């Protein structure tokens, strides 16, 4: 039985040539969410680009003869392009984000002044004692021109897109999206096509949860997901259907990988390596490269990387999280949190449980069974119980991946 680490390595080796050969493209920033940066991004400007006020208040010049009493000048609004100097004993009302006069020592928040209001030019205001630089955001205090802003390989989520926009860039160079086909297998599968209130599914049939679930997971990790029609349990038909598959970088199948009599993926693709991984759920796994003939052609179909996941929905999703998502979007954050209840786990398997984060720790949801999709839908974390941990009492700290 292969360990999780060994299978992770095998998946990484299988997909490495594909991921390294994706190529790059430059796209508008508004299309870049979820994409992966293809090169280091250096800041083309300072942020902030000028000294500006952190507060609504008064920018104070050099002290005058009357200590903390200042003569009020005209106000400086945000967006002002005026170049101004403050004389001794002068203060200018200034708004948040407005440029600070070059010789201003500090900004006093308006609520700390006497009176605590914006006054008219020529009136007098009393400012509190202030440290030099008080409430002034200095030029380049966030990032300096030429400094590394984002590293190659960063997935562009909203904060990264905000930084790129703040730097004034409207286009970004990213890796071409990995084109991943998702193919669920099984005679029992029906598409999710029932309207609310309709009769229940026919006995023996189930709705395909894996295809929409994995496609959404792939898209969230920056890949381009392509939902393929579910395949029957006929190995020849499955093999022949490769001729109809669009141009893909990777194919994911679900189902047909275990030890039953109708394991269609195993039967259709003998060139693929199948075997158990010491993981629950998600033990049955397969990976390899597919070869074959396109209909009416003599040339071989280019070898297509295949990841064969189990068919139960939780197994399929856990397989994606453990083996594929880290290669697309990086590792999940890892927390160490106490369990809120006792738990048992198989000694020879790494068990992954669905859970909800609580202020006092982590609460397990549902049991370990791989069909408990409702528990997964209510979860916001995965709890890891490693090989050898058979009994963990409430309060035991365990590894947790926030989702």
């Amino acid at each position: 039985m292969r360990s999780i680490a060994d299978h992770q390595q095998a998946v990484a080796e299988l997909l490495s040539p594909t991921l390294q050969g994706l190529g790059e493209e430059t796209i508008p920033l508004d299309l870049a969410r979820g994409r992966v940066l293809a090169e280091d991004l250096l800041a083309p400007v300072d942020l902030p680009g000028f000294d500006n006020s952190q507060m609504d208040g008064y920018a104070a010049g050099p002290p005058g003869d009357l200590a903390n009493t200042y003569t009020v000048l005209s106000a400086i609004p945000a967006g002002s392009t005026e170049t101004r100097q403050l004389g001794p004993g002068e203060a200018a009302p200034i708004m948040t984000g407005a440029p600070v006069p070059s010789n201003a020592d500090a900004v006093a928040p308006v609520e700390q002044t006497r009176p605590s209001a914006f006054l008219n030019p020529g009136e007098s205001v009393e400012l509190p004692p202030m440290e030099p630089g008080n409430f002034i955001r200095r030029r380049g205090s966030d990032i300096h021109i030429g400094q590394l802003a984002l590293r190659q390989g960063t997935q562009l989520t909203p904060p990264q897109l905000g930084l790129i926009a703040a730097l004034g860039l409207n286009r970004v160079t990213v890796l071409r999206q990995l084109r991943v086909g998702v193919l669920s297998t099984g005679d029992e599968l029906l598409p999710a096509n029932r309207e609310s209130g309709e009769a229940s599914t026919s006995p023996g049939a189930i709705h395909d949860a894996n295809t929409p679930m994995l496609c959404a997971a792939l898209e969230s990790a920056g890949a381009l997901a392509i939902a393929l029609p579910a395949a029957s349990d006929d190995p020849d038909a499955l093999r022949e259907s490769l001729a109809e598959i669009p141009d893909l970088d990777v194919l994911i199948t679900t189902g047909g990988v275990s030890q039953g009599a109708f394991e269609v993926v195993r039967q259709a693709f003998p060139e693929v390596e199948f075997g158990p991984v010491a993981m629950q759920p998600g033990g049955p796994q397969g990976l390899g490269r597919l070869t074959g003939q396109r209909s009416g052609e003599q040339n071989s179909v280019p070898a297509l990387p295949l990841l064969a996941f189990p068919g139960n929905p939780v197994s399929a999703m856990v397989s994606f999280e453990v083996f594929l998502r880290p290669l697309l979007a990086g590792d999940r954050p890892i927390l160490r949190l106490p369990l809120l209840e006792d738990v048992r786990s198989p000694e020879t398997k790494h068990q992954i449980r669905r859970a909800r984060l609580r202020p006092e720790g982590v609460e397990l949801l549902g049991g370990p069974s791989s069909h408990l999709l409702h528990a997964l839908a209510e979860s916001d974390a995965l709890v890891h119980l490693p090989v050898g941990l058979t009994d963990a009492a409430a309060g035991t700290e365990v590894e947790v991946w926030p989702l």
Side-chain angles (χ1 to χ4, degrees):
M1 186 178 295
R2 176 181 275 173
S3 70
I4 285 181
D6 286 344
H7 197 69
Q8 286 173 326
Q9 181 63 32
V11 172
E13 291 175 356
L14 174 70
L15 299 184
S16 178
T18 301
L19 294 173
Q20 292 178 4
L22 279 178
E24 59 188 47
E25 58 183 343
T26 301
I27 61 174
L29 189 61
D30 59 0
L31 299 179
R33 182 179 180 183
R35 302 296 293 274
V36 176
L37 201 61
E39 58 191 14
D40 287 347
L41 178 64
L42 305 182
V45 295
D46 290 326
L47 283 184
F50 53 89
D51 293 351
N52 68 85
S53 178
Q54 188 176 339
M55 304 288 287
D56 295 327
Y58 283 88
D65 296 334
L66 299 178
N68 294 331
T69 299
Y70 290 75
T71 300
V72 176
L73 303 182
S74 60
I76 308 173
S80 172
T81 59
E82 177 187 2
T83 300
R84 186 183 297 193
Q85 292 273 330
L86 300 175
E90 293 180 339
I94 191 168
M95 304 305 118
T96 300
V100 175
S102 59
N103 66 334
D105 286 336
V107 171
V110 65
E111 60 269 22
Q112 297 179 11
T113 66
R114 291 187 180 183
S116 57
F118 290 115
L119 304 180
N120 296 317
E123 295 183 315
S124 295
V125 64
E126 184 178 336
L127 305 183
M130 294 176 289
E131 294 290 332
N134 194 54
F135 294 116
I136 295 178
R137 298 185 289 214
R138 294 298 183 188
R139 176 174 181 165
S141 57
D142 187 5
I143 189 170
H144 286 291
I145 185 171
Q147 185 178 344
L148 179 64
L150 294 170
R151 295 187 182 278
Q152 177 186 7
T154 299
Q155 187 183 23
L156 300 179
T157 61
Q160 288 79 39
L161 296 176
L163 173 60
I164 295 170
L167 292 169
L169 301 173
N170 65 358
R171 297 178 69 82
V172 63
T173 300
V174 296
L175 295 178
R176 181 178 66 80
Q177 282 183 293
L178 189 75
R179 294 172 57 87
V180 184
V182 178
L183 176 62
S184 297
T185 67
D187 287 336
E188 73 277 16
L189 294 182
L190 296 176
N193 60 0
R194 178 164 19 117
E195 298 292 336
S196 177
E198 287 188 8
S200 61
T201 304
S202 301
I206 61 174
H207 289 113
D208 176 18
N210 288 340
T211 299
M213 179 177 64
L214 288 175
C215 284
L218 286 160
E219 296 281 358
S220 71
L224 178 62
I226 300 169
L228 302 173
S232 72
D233 284 328
D234 182 339
D236 292 334
L238 176 56
R239 187 87 190 182
E240 291 171 2
S241 71
L242 288 179
E244 307 301 325
I245 291 179
D247 184 27
L248 299 176
D249 298 311
V250 179
L251 175 64
I252 294 175
T253 61
T254 68
V257 296
S258 191
Q259 301 296 323
F262 300 98
E263 304 298 341
V264 63
V265 178
R266 274 180 173 267
Q267 296 167 6
F269 306 126
E271 68 269 42
V272 172
E273 176 187 1
F274 295 94
V277 175
M279 181 172 79
Q280 184 190 50
Q285 295 286 333
L287 82 168
R289 292 187 177 275
L290 303 183
T291 58
Q293 299 288 329
R294 292 193 187 277
S295 178
E297 296 183 3
Q298 297 299 316
N299 296 327
S300 294
V301 176
L304 176 67
L306 168 71
L307 297 180
F309 292 161
N312 276 313
V314 178
S315 296
M317 192 65 193
V318 168
S319 298
F320 170 81
E321 284 288 335
V322 173
F323 299 122
L324 183 53
R325 187 188 183 281
L327 299 177
L328 303 180
D331 294 332
R332 293 280 191 187
I334 297 176
L335 306 177
R336 297 287 301 182
L337 297 174
L339 290 167
L340 297 183
E341 61 186 88
D342 298 345
V343 64
R344 293 182 60 84
S345 179
E347 182 177 7
T348 60
K349 292 184 179 180
H350 182 121
Q351 190 177 82
I352 299 175
R353 296 285 296 270
R354 282 69 71 203
R356 182 182 291 123
L357 299 174
R358 298 293 193 187
E360 62 274 20
V362 62
E363 173 193 10
L364 300 180
L365 296 181
S369 296
S370 57
H371 71 289
L372 299 175
L373 187 54
H374 181 220
L376 178 63
E378 291 193 319
S379 301
D380 59 9
L382 295 177
V383 169
H384 291 259
L385 305 173
V387 172
L389 179 65
T390 56
D391 294 278
T396 302
E397 287 196 350
V398 292
E399 180 178 315
V400 178
W401 292 1
L403 297 178

